[in-house]
């Protein structure tokens, strides 16, 4: 498998055709390896104040591990307002989680996932540098 997307975030505004007018499901188009690797931020359009939401409490994530991405589904009572912007970002840990055991068969899939994760911090670095180079939003 190869990394097919260098996207690291998507956003939706209350005035977009896929906006926040009672909508509870928002698509992301990049691979994450676990639901915890999605970070959801709500920005109040008028003030610019940003609030980071909590997985399970405010939203759930579908299709972790899928190359094409999946959906963020807000929980009951937590749908964003039309005056808010939803920002969905990939937030991958920099920890190395693959463990190789001597003389075991080579674990091709987990090895490939580990290599894919190596490339993701590069995207994260560009994201953090982005506001200083170009407007990241």
């Amino acid at each position: 498998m190869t990394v097919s997307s260098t996207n690291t975030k998507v956003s939706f505004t209350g005035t977009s055709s896929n906006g926040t007018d009672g909508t509870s499901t928002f698509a992301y188009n990049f691979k994450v390896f676990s639901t915890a690797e999605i970070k959801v931020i709500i920005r109040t359009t008028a003030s610019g104040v940003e609030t980071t939401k909590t997985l399970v409490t405010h939203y759930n994530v579908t299709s972790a591990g899928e190359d094409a991405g999946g959906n963020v589904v807000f929980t009951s009572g937590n749908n964003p307002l039309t005056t808010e912007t939803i920002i969905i970002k990939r937030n991958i840990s920099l920890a190395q989680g693959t463990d190789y055991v001597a003389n075991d068969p080579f674990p091709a899939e987990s090895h490939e996932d580990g290599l894919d994760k190596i490339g993701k911090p590069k995207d994260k670095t560009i994201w953090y540098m982005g506001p200083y180079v170009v407007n990241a939003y």
Side-chain angles (χ1 to χ4, degrees):
M1 161 190 59
T2 61
V3 177
S4 58
S5 173
T6 57
N7 294 340
T8 60
K9 74 174 183 102
V10 293
S11 63
F12 303 91
T13 62
T15 58
S16 72
S17 61
N18 208 9
T20 56
D21 48 2
T23 305
S24 64
T25 302
F26 298 87
Y28 63 92
N29 61 351
F30 44 83
K31 182 176 183 175
V32 293
F33 295 88
S34 75
T35 59
E37 293 176 348
I38 289 282
K39 183 175 186 177
V40 176
I41 300 167
I42 300 294
R43 180 187 308 135
T44 303
T45 306
S47 67
V49 173
E50 294 185 347
T51 304
T52 301
K53 296 300 181 179
T54 305
L55 180 64
V56 180
T57 302
H58 299 113
Y59 66 93
N60 291 299
V61 176
T62 67
S63 303
E66 298 294 324
D67 288 337
N71 292 305
V72 167
V73 182
F74 285 89
T75 58
S76 179
N78 289 300
N79 287 0
L81 303 173
T82 57
T83 57
E84 297 175 323
T85 299
I86 300 101
I87 303 163
I88 302 170
K89 297 183 359 178
R90 178 170 45 216
N91 190 35
I92 292 180
S93 167
L94 300 179
Q96 194 284 93
T98 306
D99 184 27
Y100 297 102
V101 178
N103 299 317
D104 269 5
F106 185 73
E109 278 301 312
S110 63
H111 180 76
E112 186 105 25
D113 281 348
L115 290 173
D116 288 348
K117 282 184 102 172
I118 288 172
K120 302 299 182 187
K122 169 189 62 74
D123 298 337
K124 190 173 184 177
T125 302
I126 291 169
W127 166 253
Y128 283 115
M129 289 173 53
Y132 300 104
V133 179
V134 295
N135 184 356
Y137 297 105

